[in-house]
Amino acid sequence: NAGVTQTPKFQVLKTGQSMTLQCAQDMNHNSMYWYRQDPGMGLRLIYYSASEGTTDKGEVPNGYNVSRLNKREFSLRLESAAPSQTSVYFCASSLFGASNEQFFGPGTRLTVL
Amino acid sequence: AQSVTQLDSQVPVFEEAPVELRCNYSSSVSVYLFWYVQYPNQGLQLLLKYLSGSTLVESINGFEAEFNKSQTSFHLRKPSVHISDTAEYFCAVSPPRNAGNMLTFGGGTRLMVKP
């Protein structure tokens, strides 16, 4: 049982490049989330997927898109990376009706030059 | 809507000393309460949670938190910290029945345990 996995662990992009961050969970959870973590700002929700087939914007969605590929996988895409998107990105998942606890992946550290 | 305030961004403390990390929240409905811990270069892990019942909840590594409804607080305490407790701690709240199991996080408190 791997829990929540994220790839890649590290990435360096140039301004304007695109990339997709991958996330998968093997806990049969309904809901999945993408957060970004910046110094002094805690975690901010980018997008979430309450259930397979649905996605919704969080607090800071601009510059990002998501795809809930199936129940296990939830990807985050940066179409044209900007230096302001330099951050640590966390994926999380949760089982509806089970105390609302979220389980987090190890994170992806992204630098945009 | 909910909000969470962690009053201290950094808390330096000597090893074996007691510590309290403060968390206050605002909500118009009842909430579940959580403390997560993030060790350096890792993801967040659940430390403890309050759902209902006894207002004092404990973790397996000696932390405890007390839910105080009148003061809308959920402070985290440990009577004697270890170097290994050095980490960032996040308080979070969630209405019990919300679509998507959404959590609202505080800004985090960095606990720095010194020898």
Side-chain angles (χ1 to χ4, degrees):
Chain A
N1 192 342
V4 180
T5 57
Q6 292 183 236
T7 54
K9 288 195 167 112
F10 302 94
Q11 184 71 48
V12 179
L13 294 178
K14 294 181 180 177
T15 297
Q17 287 185 316
S18 62
M19 79 160 295
T20 299
L21 281 65
Q22 306 286 355
C23 173
Q25 52 89 12
D26 62 1
M27 297 175 282
N28 201 34
H29 285 174
N30 317 84
S31 303
M32 297 185 74
Y33 318 83
W34 277 105
Y35 294 91
R36 60 178 288 172
Q37 183 180 28
D38 302 291
M41 304 191 76
L43 280 89
R44 293 182 292 170
L45 183 66
I46 305 170
Y47 271 93
Y48 68 99
S49 171
S51 59
E52 188 179 355
T54 69
T55 60
D56 285 286
K57 296 178 180 179
E59 181 185 354
V60 288
N62 291 347
Y64 305 95
N65 285 302
V66 291
S67 296
R68 182 76 183 264
L69 303 169
N70 47 55
K71 192 172 186 178
R72 290 187 62 247
E73 298 172 286
F74 188 40
S75 63
L76 178 72
R77 183 158 178 86
L78 287 70
E79 290 290 352
S80 179
S84 61
Q85 294 178 305
T86 293
S87 188
V88 182
Y89 291 85
F90 289 100
C91 178
S93 70
S94 179
L95 181 64
F96 186 74
S99 81
N100 298 5
E101 179 183 348
Q102 292 183 13
F103 294 78
F104 284 79
T108 294
R109 188 173 296 273
L110 175 67
T111 302
V112 183
L113 303 174
Chain B
Q2 295 76 43
S3 66
V4 179
T5 302
Q6 292 183 242
L7 296 158
D8 305 295
S9 59
Q10 294 186 75
V11 174
V13 63
F14 286 105
E15 193 172 19
E16 298 183 5
V19 71
E20 179 180 80
L21 307 184
R22 296 179 292 169
C23 172
N24 286 90
Y25 69 92
S26 170
S27 177
S28 58
V29 299
S30 63
V31 292
Y32 293 156
L33 294 147
F34 304 83
W35 276 101
Y36 281 83
V37 59
Q38 183 182 30
Y39 298 106
N41 299 314
Q42 294 186 28
L44 279 71
Q45 306 171 33
L46 182 70
L47 186 61
L48 48 76
K49 62 187 177 187
Y50 171 78
L51 306 181
S52 65
S54 172
T55 57
L56 186 66
V57 291
E58 298 177 352
S59 73
I60 57 171
N61 59 350
F63 283 94
E64 64 179 30
E66 186 160 20
F67 169 51
N68 187 320
K69 188 174 181 179
S70 63
Q71 297 188 6
T72 59
S73 69
F74 191 53
H75 300 333
L76 182 69
R77 302 183 183 94
K78 190 170 185 180
S80 175
V81 294
H82 300 132
I83 295 286
S84 60
D85 293 323
T86 294
E88 188 148 22
Y89 293 79
F90 292 93
C91 182
V93 302
S94 178
R97 286 169 291 281
N98 75 86
N101 287 3
M102 306 300 288
L103 295 179
T104 300
F105 286 91
T109 297
R110 187 170 299 276
L111 176 63
M112 299 173 292
V113 182
K114 300 180 284 186

